[in-house]
Amino acid sequence: IAERLVIVALDPGHGGEDPGAIGPTGLREKDVVLQVAQRLRARINEQPNMRAMMTRDADFFVPLNERVRKARRVQADLFISIHAD
């Protein structure tokens, strides 16, 4: 019996001209959540029968409706939106 591939859509929030929250040291949410998503993608892709896709993989802005469209296009089983304060 072949196991079904589980697809996880990772959505690091903000990006591009939208930095999200900015910490006291100037650390920007968009940078933190992109790093978290990249690490999570690697962990997911190590699992048998699981693959991760990212709604953005660099510092650019993707509107919410486009993020959802990207996840639906790959028929993602789970959509994880990543944010930080």
Side-chain angles (χ1 to χ4, degrees):
I1 294 176
E3 292 188 35
R4 188 173 76 79
L5 183 65
V6 175
I7 300 179
V8 180
L10 301 176
D11 178 40
H14 307 287
E17 67 275 6
D18 179 6
I22 301 174
T25 64
L27 188 62
R28 301 173 303 185
E29 179 179 4
K30 69 177 184 175
D31 299 326
V32 171
V33 298
L34 182 58
Q35 285 186 3
V36 168
Q38 289 168 335
R39 291 178 184 183
L40 184 54
R41 175 181 59 188
R43 297 285 300 268
I44 290 169
N45 287 342
E46 289 174 355
Q47 303 305 310
N49 302 314
M50 290 186 77
R51 290 297 171 269
M53 67 79 63
M54 292 181 46
T55 59
R56 71 177 182 94
D57 57 5
D59 185 19
F60 54 86
F61 180 77
V62 179
L64 178 59
N65 64 331
E66 177 67 14
R67 295 168 189 259
V68 172
R69 190 184 70 72
K70 287 181 174 196
R72 287 183 177 155
R73 186 174 61 232
V74 298
Q75 298 180 326
D77 297 287
L78 182 64
F79 183 93
I80 301 175
S81 184
I82 303 171
H83 290 268
D85 288 333

